[in-house]
Amino acid sequence: MNPGTRLPLVVAAVVVVAVIAGTFILRRGEAPGPANVPQSIAVAAADPVAQAPAPANRDARPARASGESLEQQVATQLDRRVESRAQHAARTRELREQSAARYASEQVDAAWAPQKESQLTGIASNEAFAQAGAKPTSLSVDCRSSMCRVDGAFETRSQAEDWVMMYMSSVGGSMPNSIVSRTQAEDGSTRVEIYGRAR
């Protein structure tokens, strides 16, 4: 072969070898991953931490103080419930006292009070109350100028509770803002007192 034509072939072979070597070196430095997948996604797929599901919301599980036993947790929850009930009872007493004071301070509106008393008494006289065994042994309704007081006596607490539920749902808009209190005697009989703004 002519030495003049051999030189281009040698140069071409050197270039080809350089390209293959460069490609091989570059591929060794790349992060392994599926073909045609961005590197960030490939790394996430290979990383066991990235594959692990997100931790569940800790608020969905009951909080457990470090070192606190199950018995202590139950006792804490019971204490909180007792405290919550005490706060609710105190708030109910406060609202009852406010309503009673407002009722006592009002004058009787002779044009309005008798009609409202008749309406509230009529609701309590519904036959459905007697059929449900929730009829009071005595009932009085007294209205002033905007406030009314309903006072009923019942043989048992369960009768009183049934009556309160039925009566308050039946009254509806006739006395929308009301506060109900219950007083139970030693013999089990229960008195229900309702103060409500009826105007």
Side-chain angles (χ1 to χ4, degrees):
M1 181 178 287
N2 192 338
T5 61
R6 186 181 303 170
L7 182 61
L9 292 176
V10 171
V11 172
V14 170
V15 170
V16 170
V17 169
V19 169
I20 293 173
T23 303
F24 180 75
I25 292 171
L26 288 176
R27 286 190 176 179
R28 288 184 62 186
E30 291 181 354
N36 301 324
V37 178
Q39 186 173 352
S40 60
I41 298 177
V43 170
D47 186 356
V49 176
Q51 288 181 330
N57 186 358
R58 292 184 179 179
D59 294 337
R61 295 178 296 176
R64 175 175 291 189
S66 59
E68 190 178 41
S69 68
L70 179 61
E71 291 77 8
Q72 290 172 327
Q73 292 181 56
V74 171
T76 299
Q77 290 297 326
L78 290 176
D79 289 342
R80 288 178 182 171
R81 288 187 180 182
V82 169
E83 181 181 356
S84 177
R85 289 174 182 171
Q87 291 175 351
H88 178 72
R91 180 60 178 159
T92 300
R93 284 193 300 270
E94 180 183 355
L95 291 174
R96 180 195 173 282
E97 291 171 1
Q98 292 174 358
S99 297
R102 178 171 180 167
Y103 167 83
S105 68
E106 288 187 351
Q107 299 294 321
V108 176
D109 183 341
W112 174 80
Q115 296 179 8
K116 179 57 73 172
E117 291 171 0
S118 177
Q119 179 188 19
L120 296 177
T121 302
I123 293 172
S125 300
N126 191 312
E127 185 61 28
F129 288 74
Q131 292 176 357
K135 187 173 182 178
T137 56
S138 65
L139 182 71
S140 65
V141 180
D142 183 41
C143 297
R144 299 294 174 90
S145 59
S146 71
M147 298 288 294
C148 292
R149 175 177 175 269
V150 180
D151 190 325
F154 300 85
E155 294 180 354
T156 66
R157 183 177 180 84
S158 61
Q159 289 178 348
E161 294 298 336
D162 291 344
W163 182 86
V164 167
M165 182 183 66
M166 295 176 67
Y167 186 74
M168 295 308 298
S169 62
S170 300
V171 165
S174 299
M175 196 166 59
N177 301 318
S178 304
I179 183 72
V180 180
S181 61
R182 305 154 179 85
T183 306
Q184 188 171 10
E186 293 182 359
D187 62 356
S189 61
T190 302
R191 177 188 172 197
V192 173
E193 191 175 36
I194 303 173
Y195 285 99
R197 186 171 182 179
R199 193 178 193 182

